Amino acid sequence: MKLVVGASAGGHANELQILLRHAQDAWPAQPAAYVTTMAIAASGFEAGGCPVHVVGECDRRKPLQAVAVLGRTLWLAWRERPDVVVTTGSMPLALFCIWSKLLGAKVVWIDSVAQIEALSVSGRLMRRVADLCLAQWPAVAARYPGVEYAGEVL
């Protein structure tokens, strides 16, 4: 099984690194590659000894950047062909997950612990795409069909 994990720079990457560190023995496979949005976040994943891919940042207010990230995430999903993607999110990772899903991958989306009242915009999209969509607050999970609560990463 080829596992690819990813997160945006900042809090998303911190959450994923904590999850990787503390649940290390529970993973069915070790990550084969990491995906992030900024080179500064790549250094936190390089300790894993696997390739780290930087796809760039984008959001709904930056359509030109989104087009560039759309292309990079398609290329990366095609190149890596993951069996499973686990991510703590953001829009660039949602794009990578969608491409990976279209290529046959299973997707686990973990919405940020910072989302205390509602899923993120990306999380609302991904709850319809992901095979498993997790919120880190029970009240948030209860608001959305198909979203589960299994605890907090932090």
Side-chain angles (χ1 to χ4, degrees):
M1 174 177 57
K2 186 173 189 180
L3 172 65
V4 174
V5 298
S8 285
H12 294 281
N14 291 341
E15 286 181 33
L16 183 60
Q17 289 167 358
I18 289 167
L19 180 63
L20 288 169
R21 192 170 46 252
H22 290 292
Q24 183 174 354
D25 296 331
W27 294 88
Q30 292 303 307
Y34 301 93
V35 180
T36 191
T37 58
M38 296 176 69
I40 194 166
S43 63
F45 292 113
E46 288 171 349
C50 300
V52 180
H53 304 284
V54 178
V55 295
E57 285 284 354
C58 71
D59 61 38
R60 63 186 180 271
R61 295 178 303 265
K62 299 174 184 167
L64 292 178
Q65 286 179 343
V67 170
V69 171
L70 185 69
R72 284 192 290 273
T73 55
L74 169 60
W75 174 84
L76 184 57
W78 183 264
R79 180 175 164 206
E80 286 294 334
R81 297 283 178 111
D83 296 307
V84 178
V85 177
V86 176
T87 182
T88 52
S90 87
M91 184 54 73
L93 273 296
L95 296 173
F96 177 73
C97 287
I98 291 168
W99 291 127
S100 297
K101 180 77 173 176
L102 290 171
L103 292 169
K106 299 289 184 189
V107 174
V108 177
W109 180 271
I110 305 167
D111 215 47
S112 174
V113 72
Q115 300 301 127
I116 61 174
E117 295 180 7
L119 285 176
S120 64
V121 172
S122 299
R124 290 192 298 267
L125 167 71
M126 290 307 298
R127 77 181 177 95
R128 299 176 192 284
V129 175
D131 296 280
L132 177 61
C133 184
L134 300 171
Q136 296 188 56
W137 296 94
V140 174
R143 289 184 61 185
Y144 300 94
V147 177
E148 298 179 31
Y149 169 77
E152 304 86 27
V153 173
L154 299 178

